[in-house]
Amino acid sequence: MLAMASAQSDTPFLKTAMDVFARATTNSEVLSLNLSGLIILLVLKVAVVAFSLMSGGATARSGVSTYSEADLTGGMCFILYTSGDESKLNCVARAACESTENAADFLTAAKLWYKVHNIIKAVPFNEKYNKVIDVVEAANNLGKSGGECSKFGW
């Protein structure tokens, strides 16, 4: 009974993971896009950490991961979105709404990346990601104000 309750989690983590895996195994081009999306997520996280260290806002953290199931599902949805499944943008927004602190960190990194792109044209930035930034920012603000995150589907 306990296993059944945990299997019926509100976040479709397992289903999203299976979608990512299914796409990765069907076509090597899709796999490279998924890896590109993963690299973008990692670069954004490094940018957040670097920004916090330079701004003096660094604090000691434990080695325990602070990512929730919603964060991980949102990350996989972002990978699927970058692979061409535009319907996954709602899933990314839902994760941002439910996990406002981590979404705010990623927004800070994305905006910093965009500013660096505007200054140094050699830094790549696809304009389609402005839409992602806008949607994630709106969802993050909704979550911070205590709004209903279920308006965004998984």
Side-chain angles (χ1 to χ4, degrees):
M1 180 123 171
L2 181 62
M4 216 162 100
S6 66
Q8 295 177 343
S9 174
D10 191 31
T11 308
F13 176 74
L14 185 59
K15 180 187 178 314
T16 307
M18 295 303 289
D19 287 346
V20 170
F21 183 72
R23 282 181 173 247
T25 58
T26 58
N27 186 343
S28 63
E29 182 180 333
V30 173
L31 176 61
S32 67
L33 289 175
N34 285 339
L35 292 177
S36 298
L38 182 61
I39 290 170
I40 289 170
L41 285 173
L42 291 174
V43 167
L44 287 175
K45 185 62 178 177
V46 167
V48 167
V49 171
F51 179 75
S52 66
L53 288 174
M54 285 189 282
S55 67
T59 58
R61 292 188 182 185
S62 67
V64 178
S65 174
T66 59
Y67 295 114
S68 67
E69 194 172 301
D71 292 326
L72 297 174
T73 303
M76 287 186 286
C77 287
F78 179 75
I79 290 171
L80 290 170
Y81 176 80
T82 60
S83 299
D85 188 356
E86 299 213 1
S87 67
K88 291 298 181 182
L89 188 56
N90 259 345
C91 175
V92 174
R94 174 79 179 255
C97 184
E98 290 192 4
S99 182
T100 57
E101 186 176 317
N102 286 333
D105 287 346
F106 285 123
L107 275 171
T108 301
K111 289 177 181 179
L112 179 65
W113 187 274
Y114 182 66
K115 286 179 183 179
V116 171
H117 164 74
N118 285 334
I119 295 169
I120 306 169
K121 297 297 180 189
V123 174
F125 185 85
N126 191 329
E127 294 300 320
K128 78 176 186 177
Y129 292 116
N130 281 328
K131 178 181 177 183
V132 176
I133 291 172
D134 293 340
V135 168
V136 169
E137 189 166 31
N140 191 22
N141 290 336
L142 180 70
K144 284 181 180 177
S145 67
E148 187 61 41
C149 294
S150 63
K151 84 177 231 179
F152 304 108
W154 285 113

